[in-house]
Amino acid sequence: MNPTPTPTAEAGLAPPEAAGFWQAFAFWLKLGFISFGGPAGQIAVMHQELVERRRWISERRFLHALNYCMLLPGPEAQQLATYIGWMLHRTWGGIVAGVLFVLPSLFILIGLSWVYIAYGDVPWVAGLFYGIKPAVTAIVLQAAYRIGSRALKNRWLWGIAAASLVAIFALNVPFPAIVAAAALVGHVGGRMAPRHFATGGGHGQSGASYGPALIDDHTPPPAHARFRWSRLAGVVVVGAVLWAVPMALLTVLLGWQHTFTQMGWFFTKAALLTFGGAYAVLPYVVQGAVGHYGWLTPVQMIDGLALGETTPGPLIMVVAFVGFVGAYVKAVLGPEALFLAGALAAALVTWFTFLPSFLFIFAGGPLVESTHGDLKFTAPLTAITAAVVGVIANLTLFFGYHVLWPQGFAGPFDAVSALIALGAALALLRFKRGVMEVIAACAVLGLLWRLWG
C-alpha cells in the first residue's frame, strides 16, 4: 500500500491517469454513502481522495473552488463536489457528482423518517431519542462556538451577533430580515470602517503540492468552463424552467395553499438563505415549518436534526425529514397513502432545496475559472456570518428549552436530560470527540434510563 503523498513528494511523480466518467461516477457514489461528519468532514474526505491520492485537482484549484462555494448560499461540500465534477466531465459530471452526494441520504432519511413516525412510541425507540435530544442541543452549541470563534474577530462583529440573537429570540424577527439587515450593516461598515469587516482566516490559498494533477495550478480552463454570456443565459433559462414548471404544476393541480405547493415555495426561499451552512438556515426552517405551518412539533424537529446528524450527506437534508413528517401527519394524499405522501414530500423539498446549488455552480463556475486570484469574503458576507452566530445561539436556546422543560416552564425540569447534554457538550468541546460517537453514547444512556431508570 502506497503511503499518503505529502506536499514535498512532488518530485519524480508521474502525471495521474485521466479520470473516466464512470470512474468518477463510482467515486461520487461512494462519497454519497461515506460523507459523514458534516461539511468539514466531507471536504476533508474530498481533499484526501481528489487532491492527495487521485490527484484529479491541485491544492490551489481545490481551495479556489472551495472559496467560491463558501460564498454561496447552500451546502458548500455538495457544491464543491458539483464544481469538481463539472470541471472534470462538463455539465453531466457536475450533475452526477451533486446528485450522488445527496441521493443516498434522501433514501436513508425517508426510511428512518417512516420508522420514526410509525414506531416512535415503541419504548426502545423512544428511549434512544430521549438520549439523542440533549446530544443534539450540545451539537448545536458546538456549532455556535465553532463558527463564532472563527467569525467574531472584534467588537463590531460581536455586536452584530448579539443584535441578531435579540432580534430572533426576543422580537421574533424573521431570519431573512436579519440576513438583509446584517448585509446592509456590513455594506456600510465596510466603507466606513473597513478594517473591522476585513476577513481573517477562512480557506485561503496554499502552496502545498501533492504532485502533478489533472487540473493543475496552471491548467487552462477547459472549453466548457470558459465564460460566455450565451451560456450564462442558457443556464439561467434552464434553471428558471426547472423551478417554474413543477411549481406551476403544483399550483394548478393542487392549489397554492396545498401542503406540497407551500413546501416547494418555502424550501425555495430556504435554499437561498443558507449562508453559513445548515445550522444557519435551521432557525428559518423552525420558524416556518414549526411555528407558521405546523408541519411538525418542536420535539419532532429536534429528532429530525438527530437523524440528519447520523446519516451521510449534507446536514440540510433534514428538510427531507420535515417534508416527510409534515405530509405524513397531515395525510395530504389520504389515510391510505401516508408513506407515499411522505416520500413524495421528501423528494419534493429536496428538489427545491438543492436546485439553486446546481445553478450557482453552472452559472458562476466559468466566472470563477476566468481568474485564479484569491476569492475573499466581502464585508456584507462577513456581517452575515456574524449574524448567523447569534441565530445559531438562539437555536441552542430553542432546543435546550424543549429538551430540559419538555412540558414548558410550568412543568418539571428534566435533570437527566441536563446531565446528558452537559456530558455531550464536554465530550464535544473539551475532549474533541466525534459527533457520531457522542450521539451513539447518549442514545445508549437514554435507552438505559428509559428502560431501567
Side-chain angles (χ1 to χ4, degrees):
M1 181 175 178
N2 294 328
T4 301
T6 65
T8 60
E10 181 175 6
L13 284 178
E17 295 182 6
F21 179 86
W22 293 108
Q23 182 184 2
F25 183 99
F27 170 74
W28 299 124
L29 180 61
K30 170 188 171 183
L31 183 65
F33 282 100
I34 65 170
S35 56
F36 293 93
Q42 294 154 0
I43 291 168
V45 169
M46 281 191 280
H47 185 276
Q48 183 180 49
E49 288 286 335
L50 301 179
V51 177
E52 299 178 27
R53 194 165 79 84
R54 302 171 190 261
R55 290 185 284 139
W56 288 355
I57 187 169
S58 71
E59 173 92 353
R60 286 183 181 273
R61 297 291 280 269
F62 180 91
L63 292 176
H64 187 71
L66 177 57
N67 272 332
Y68 173 59
C69 296
M70 292 290 290
L71 295 176
L72 299 173
E76 62 265 29
Q78 186 263 352
Q79 290 168 333
L80 179 61
T82 304
Y83 192 109
I84 296 174
W86 166 75
M87 283 290 291
L88 288 169
H89 298 110
R90 307 172 64 92
T91 301
W92 276 111
I95 292 173
V96 165
V99 168
L100 291 181
F101 197 92
V102 171
L103 205 58
S105 62
L106 173 61
F107 288 127
I108 293 169
L109 271 173
I110 287 175
L112 291 177
S113 300
W114 175 72
V115 170
Y116 169 80
I117 202 68
Y119 300 101
D121 292 331
V122 176
W124 68 269
V125 177
L128 291 173
F129 277 98
Y130 177 78
I132 288 173
K133 289 185 183 74
V136 169
T137 304
I139 290 167
V140 178
L141 175 64
Q142 181 203 32
Y145 172 79
R146 188 175 63 244
I147 296 174
S149 62
R150 286 200 312 264
L152 306 182
K153 300 296 186 182
N154 56 61
R155 288 178 293 179
W156 288 58
L157 299 178
W158 272 99
I160 293 172
S164 72
L165 173 59
V166 171
I168 197 169
F169 178 77
L171 305 177
N172 200 32
V173 176
F175 181 62
I178 293 174
V179 170
L184 179 61
V185 170
H187 176 72
V188 175
R191 291 174 175 271
M192 297 177 61
R195 67 187 182 88
H196 294 296
F197 290 87
T199 57
H203 298 276
Q205 299 294 347
S206 168
S209 173
Y210 296 86
L214 291 178
I215 304 173
D216 219 336
D217 291 354
H218 304 293
T219 302
H224 69 273
R226 294 171 189 158
F227 178 78
R228 297 191 304 272
W229 283 106
S230 58
R231 186 185 182 282
L232 176 60
V235 170
V236 172
V237 169
V238 170
V241 169
L242 290 175
W243 179 85
V245 169
M247 182 60 70
L249 288 174
L250 289 171
T251 304
V252 171
L253 297 177
L254 302 176
W256 179 250
Q257 296 301 327
H258 191 274
T259 299
F260 281 172
T261 311
Q262 287 298 299
M263 283 183 174
W265 176 239
F266 174 74
F267 285 105
T268 295
K269 294 184 290 183
L272 301 174
L273 292 168
T274 51
F275 293 99
Y279 286 109
V281 81
L282 282 173
Y284 178 63
V285 175
V286 169
Q287 278 187 330
V290 178
H292 180 70
Y293 292 104
W295 291 330
L296 70 175
T297 67
V299 170
Q300 288 172 334
M301 186 70 214
I302 300 171
D303 292 339
L305 182 56
L307 290 178
E309 289 279 10
T310 56
T311 53
L315 180 58
I316 194 60
M317 279 303 297
V318 70
V319 301
F321 175 87
V322 173
F324 186 98
V325 172
Y328 188 105
V329 170
K330 289 184 175 293
V332 296
L333 297 181
E336 302 301 320
L338 297 179
F339 177 83
L340 178 61
L344 285 175
L348 183 77
V349 303
T350 300
W351 173 266
F352 284 107
T353 299
F354 283 91
L355 177 62
S357 291
F358 288 93
L359 300 181
F360 286 137
I361 297 303
F362 297 145
L367 289 170
V368 177
E369 285 301 311
S370 66
T371 171
H372 294 154
D374 291 345
L375 287 179
K376 300 180 184 297
F377 287 110
T378 63
L381 285 173
T382 301
I384 289 173
T385 303
V388 161
V389 177
V391 171
I392 298 174
N394 170 73
L395 190 65
T396 306
L397 297 175
F398 175 87
F399 283 176
Y401 167 73
H402 288 285
V403 168
L404 303 180
W405 287 274
Q407 301 173 28
F409 283 130
F413 175 77
D414 192 334
V416 174
S417 289
L419 289 173
I420 295 176
L422 179 60
L426 287 173
L428 290 165
L429 297 170
R430 175 67 177 84
F431 298 104
K432 311 299 182 186
R433 308 307 300 180
V435 167
M436 295 294 294
E437 294 178 85
V438 171
I439 287 179
C442 292
V444 171
L445 289 174
L447 178 61
L448 293 176
W449 175 255
R450 277 298 181 90
L451 294 182
W452 294 293

